[in-house]
Short mmCIF file of all heavy atoms in Angstrom, two decimals:
data_model
loop_
_atom_site.label_atom_id
_atom_site.label_comp_id
_atom_site.label_asym_id
_atom_site.label_seq_id
_atom_site.Cartn_x
_atom_site.Cartn_y
_atom_site.Cartn_z
N MET A 116 102.00 126.91 96.90
CA MET A 116 102.87 126.86 98.08
C MET A 116 102.30 127.67 99.25
O MET A 116 102.44 127.32 100.40
CB MET A 116 104.26 127.37 97.71
CG MET A 116 105.27 127.20 98.82
SD MET A 116 106.90 126.78 98.22
CE MET A 116 106.87 125.00 98.07
N THR A 117 101.63 128.77 98.90
CA THR A 117 100.97 129.53 99.97
C THR A 117 99.77 128.73 100.46
O THR A 117 98.99 128.24 99.66
CB THR A 117 100.46 130.89 99.45
OG1 THR A 117 101.45 131.43 98.58
CG2 THR A 117 100.18 131.82 100.60
N LEU A 118 99.65 128.62 101.76
CA LEU A 118 98.54 127.84 102.29
C LEU A 118 97.25 128.64 102.21
O LEU A 118 97.16 129.76 102.70
CB LEU A 118 98.84 127.48 103.74
CG LEU A 118 98.04 126.33 104.33
CD1 LEU A 118 98.36 125.03 103.64
CD2 LEU A 118 98.31 126.24 105.82
N LYS A 119 96.25 128.06 101.55
CA LYS A 119 94.96 128.74 101.46
C LYS A 119 93.97 128.13 102.42
O LYS A 119 94.05 126.95 102.75
CB LYS A 119 94.42 128.63 100.03
CG LYS A 119 95.17 129.49 99.05
CD LYS A 119 94.53 129.41 97.69
CE LYS A 119 95.28 130.28 96.70
NZ LYS A 119 94.86 130.00 95.32
N SER A 121 90.69 126.41 103.76
CA SER A 121 89.69 125.49 103.19
C SER A 121 88.77 125.02 104.31
O SER A 121 89.23 124.75 105.43
CB SER A 121 90.37 124.31 102.49
OG SER A 121 90.54 123.22 103.36
N GLN A 123 87.33 122.27 104.54
CA GLN A 123 87.63 120.89 104.91
C GLN A 123 88.75 120.82 105.96
O GLN A 123 88.65 120.09 106.94
CB GLN A 123 88.03 120.10 103.66
CG GLN A 123 86.86 119.83 102.71
CD GLN A 123 86.65 120.94 101.69
OE1 GLN A 123 87.12 122.07 101.88
NE2 GLN A 123 85.92 120.64 100.63
N ARG A 124 89.81 121.60 105.71
CA ARG A 124 90.91 121.57 106.68
C ARG A 124 90.44 122.09 108.03
O ARG A 124 90.79 121.54 109.07
CB ARG A 124 92.10 122.39 106.18
CG ARG A 124 93.31 122.27 107.12
CD ARG A 124 94.48 123.10 106.63
NE ARG A 124 94.70 122.80 105.23
CZ ARG A 124 94.82 123.72 104.29
NH1 ARG A 124 94.80 125.00 104.58
NH2 ARG A 124 95.00 123.37 103.04
N THR A 158 91.40 113.65 101.22
CA THR A 158 91.44 115.02 101.74
C THR A 158 91.76 115.01 103.23
O THR A 158 92.53 115.84 103.72
CB THR A 158 90.08 115.71 101.49
OG1 THR A 158 89.87 115.79 100.09
CG2 THR A 158 90.04 117.09 102.10
N ARG A 161 95.45 114.22 103.57
CA ARG A 161 96.28 115.34 103.16
C ARG A 161 96.30 116.43 104.22
O ARG A 161 97.35 116.96 104.58
CB ARG A 161 95.80 115.90 101.81
CG ARG A 161 96.65 117.03 101.28
CD ARG A 161 96.43 117.27 99.79
NE ARG A 161 95.11 116.85 99.36
CZ ARG A 161 93.98 117.52 99.60
NH1 ARG A 161 94.03 118.66 100.25
NH2 ARG A 161 92.82 117.05 99.18
P DA D 49 96.79 133.03 84.42
OP1 DA D 49 97.29 134.19 83.65
OP2 DA D 49 96.38 131.79 83.74
"O5'" DA D 49 97.87 132.68 85.53
"C5'" DA D 49 98.26 133.71 86.45
"C4'" DA D 49 98.49 133.11 87.82
"O4'" DA D 49 97.23 132.99 88.53
"C3'" DA D 49 99.11 131.71 87.80
"O3'" DA D 49 100.07 131.66 88.86
"C2'" DA D 49 97.92 130.78 88.07
"C1'" DA D 49 97.05 131.64 88.97
N9 DA D 49 95.60 131.37 88.91
C8 DA D 49 94.87 131.00 87.81
N7 DA D 49 93.58 130.87 88.06
C5 DA D 49 93.46 131.17 89.41
C6 DA D 49 92.36 131.21 90.28
N6 DA D 49 91.10 130.94 89.91
N1 DA D 49 92.58 131.54 91.57
C2 DA D 49 93.84 131.81 91.94
N3 DA D 49 94.96 131.82 91.22
C4 DA D 49 94.70 131.48 89.94
P DA D 50 100.96 130.35 89.11
OP1 DA D 50 102.36 130.77 89.30
OP2 DA D 50 100.61 129.36 88.07
"O5'" DA D 50 100.42 129.84 90.50
"C5'" DA D 50 100.08 130.80 91.51
"C4'" DA D 50 99.40 130.09 92.65
"O4'" DA D 50 97.99 129.94 92.38
"C3'" DA D 50 99.95 128.68 92.90
"O3'" DA D 50 99.99 128.48 94.30
"C2'" DA D 50 98.92 127.79 92.23
"C1'" DA D 50 97.63 128.57 92.51
N9 DA D 50 96.53 128.30 91.59
C8 DA D 50 96.59 127.95 90.27
N7 DA D 50 95.41 127.77 89.71
C5 DA D 50 94.52 128.03 90.73
C6 DA D 50 93.11 128.02 90.80
N6 DA D 50 92.33 127.72 89.74
N1 DA D 50 92.52 128.31 91.98
C2 DA D 50 93.31 128.61 93.02
N3 DA D 50 94.65 128.67 93.09
C4 DA D 50 95.19 128.36 91.90
P DG D 51 100.56 127.13 94.92
OP1 DG D 51 101.68 127.47 95.81
OP2 DG D 51 100.71 126.13 93.84
"O5'" DG D 51 99.33 126.70 95.84
"C5'" DG D 51 98.74 127.69 96.67
"C4'" DG D 51 97.40 127.19 97.17
"O4'" DG D 51 96.46 127.10 96.08
"C3'" DG D 51 97.45 125.80 97.80
"O3'" DG D 51 96.56 125.79 98.91
"C2'" DG D 51 96.96 124.89 96.69
"C1'" DG D 51 95.93 125.78 96.02
N9 DG D 51 95.64 125.46 94.62
C8 DG D 51 96.53 125.25 93.60
N7 DG D 51 95.95 124.98 92.46
C5 DG D 51 94.59 125.02 92.73
C6 DG D 51 93.46 124.80 91.89
O6 DG D 51 93.44 124.53 90.69
N1 DG D 51 92.27 124.94 92.59
C2 DG D 51 92.17 125.25 93.92
N2 DG D 51 90.93 125.33 94.41
N3 DG D 51 93.21 125.45 94.72
C4 DG D 51 94.39 125.32 94.06
P DT D 52 96.47 124.54 99.89
OP1 DT D 52 96.69 125.01 101.25
OP2 DT D 52 97.29 123.43 99.33
"O5'" DT D 52 94.94 124.13 99.80
"C5'" DT D 52 94.26 124.25 98.58
"C4'" DT D 52 92.86 123.69 98.74
"O4'" DT D 52 92.32 123.58 97.40
"C3'" DT D 52 92.83 122.30 99.35
"O3'" DT D 52 91.63 122.13 100.11
"C2'" DT D 52 92.86 121.39 98.13
"C1'" DT D 52 92.17 122.22 97.06
N1 DT D 52 92.75 122.03 95.70
C2 DT D 52 91.89 121.85 94.63
O2 DT D 52 90.68 121.88 94.74
N3 DT D 52 92.49 121.65 93.42
C4 DT D 52 93.85 121.61 93.17
O4 DT D 52 94.27 121.41 92.04
C5 DT D 52 94.70 121.81 94.33
C7 DT D 52 96.18 121.79 94.17
C6 DT D 52 94.11 122.01 95.53
P DC D 53 91.28 120.73 100.70
OP1 DC D 53 90.50 121.00 101.92
OP2 DC D 53 92.48 119.90 100.77
"O5'" DC D 53 90.28 120.14 99.62
"C5'" DC D 53 89.20 120.97 99.19
"C4'" DC D 53 88.33 120.23 98.22
"O4'" DC D 53 88.97 120.24 96.92
"C3'" DC D 53 88.11 118.77 98.60
"O3'" DC D 53 86.73 118.48 98.69
"C2'" DC D 53 88.77 117.97 97.49
"C1'" DC D 53 88.90 118.96 96.35
N1 DC D 53 90.17 118.77 95.62
C2 DC D 53 90.14 118.45 94.26
O2 DC D 53 89.05 118.35 93.70
N3 DC D 53 91.31 118.26 93.62
C4 DC D 53 92.47 118.38 94.27
N4 DC D 53 93.60 118.19 93.59
C5 DC D 53 92.51 118.71 95.66
C6 DC D 53 91.35 118.90 96.30
P DA D 54 86.31 117.11 99.40
OP1 DA D 54 85.17 117.44 100.28
OP2 DA D 54 87.50 116.43 99.95
"O5'" DA D 54 85.79 116.28 98.17
"C5'" DA D 54 84.88 116.87 97.25
"C4'" DA D 54 84.54 115.88 96.16
"O4'" DA D 54 85.68 115.76 95.26
"C3'" DA D 54 84.23 114.47 96.65
"O3'" DA D 54 83.22 113.93 95.82
"C2'" DA D 54 85.56 113.73 96.49
"C1'" DA D 54 86.22 114.45 95.32
N9 DA D 54 87.68 114.61 95.43
C8 DA D 54 88.41 114.86 96.55
N7 DA D 54 89.70 115.00 96.34
C5 DA D 54 89.84 114.83 94.96
C6 DA D 54 90.95 114.87 94.11
N6 DA D 54 92.20 115.10 94.52
N1 DA D 54 90.73 114.66 92.80
C2 DA D 54 89.48 114.45 92.38
N3 DA D 54 88.34 114.40 93.08
C4 DA D 54 88.60 114.60 94.39
P DG D 55 82.67 112.46 96.07
OP1 DG D 55 81.25 112.44 95.63
OP2 DG D 55 83.03 112.05 97.43
"O5'" DG D 55 83.51 111.62 95.03
"C5'" DG D 55 83.64 112.12 93.70
"C4'" DG D 55 84.47 111.16 92.88
"O4'" DG D 55 85.87 111.50 93.04
"C3'" DG D 55 84.32 109.70 93.31
"O3'" DG D 55 84.15 108.91 92.15
"C2'" DG D 55 85.62 109.38 94.03
"C1'" DG D 55 86.61 110.33 93.35
N9 DG D 55 87.74 110.73 94.17
C8 DG D 55 87.76 110.95 95.53
N7 DG D 55 88.95 111.29 95.97
C5 DG D 55 89.75 111.30 94.84
C6 DG D 55 91.13 111.61 94.69
O6 DG D 55 91.94 111.94 95.56
N1 DG D 55 91.55 111.51 93.37
C2 DG D 55 90.74 111.15 92.32
N2 DG D 55 91.31 111.10 91.13
N3 DG D 55 89.45 110.86 92.44
C4 DG D 55 89.02 110.96 93.72
P DT D 56 84.05 107.33 92.24
OP1 DT D 56 82.98 106.92 91.31
OP2 DT D 56 83.99 106.94 93.67
"O5'" DT D 56 85.44 106.85 91.65
"C5'" DT D 56 86.07 107.64 90.64
"C4'" DT D 56 87.46 107.10 90.38
"O4'" DT D 56 88.42 107.74 91.28
"C3'" DT D 56 87.58 105.60 90.62
"O3'" DT D 56 88.32 105.04 89.56
"C2'" DT D 56 88.32 105.50 91.95
"C1'" DT D 56 89.21 106.74 91.87
N1 DT D 56 89.71 107.25 93.17
C2 DT D 56 91.00 107.69 93.24
O2 DT D 56 91.76 107.68 92.29
N3 DT D 56 91.40 108.13 94.48
C4 DT D 56 90.63 108.18 95.62
O4 DT D 56 91.10 108.60 96.67
C5 DT D 56 89.27 107.72 95.47
C7 DT D 56 88.35 107.73 96.65
C6 DT D 56 88.88 107.28 94.27
P DT D 62 105.01 94.31 107.16
OP1 DT D 62 105.17 94.84 108.51
OP2 DT D 62 106.10 93.57 106.52
"O5'" DT D 62 103.69 93.43 107.14
"C5'" DT D 62 102.49 94.01 107.66
"C4'" DT D 62 101.31 93.12 107.36
"O4'" DT D 62 101.09 93.04 105.94
"C3'" DT D 62 101.43 91.68 107.86
"O3'" DT D 62 100.41 91.46 108.82
"C2'" DT D 62 101.25 90.83 106.60
"C1'" DT D 62 100.51 91.78 105.68
N1 DT D 62 100.65 91.53 104.23
C2 DT D 62 99.50 91.29 103.50
O2 DT D 62 98.39 91.26 104.00
N3 DT D 62 99.70 91.07 102.17
C4 DT D 62 100.91 91.07 101.50
O4 DT D 62 100.96 90.86 100.29
C5 DT D 62 102.07 91.33 102.31
C7 DT D 62 103.43 91.36 101.70
C6 DT D 62 101.88 91.55 103.63
#
Side-chain angles (χ1 to χ4, degrees):
Chain A
M116 187 144 274
T117 320
L118 198 65
K119 287 184 180 168
S121 92
Q123 289 88 341
R124 185 181 310 129
T158 297
R161 182 162 27 75

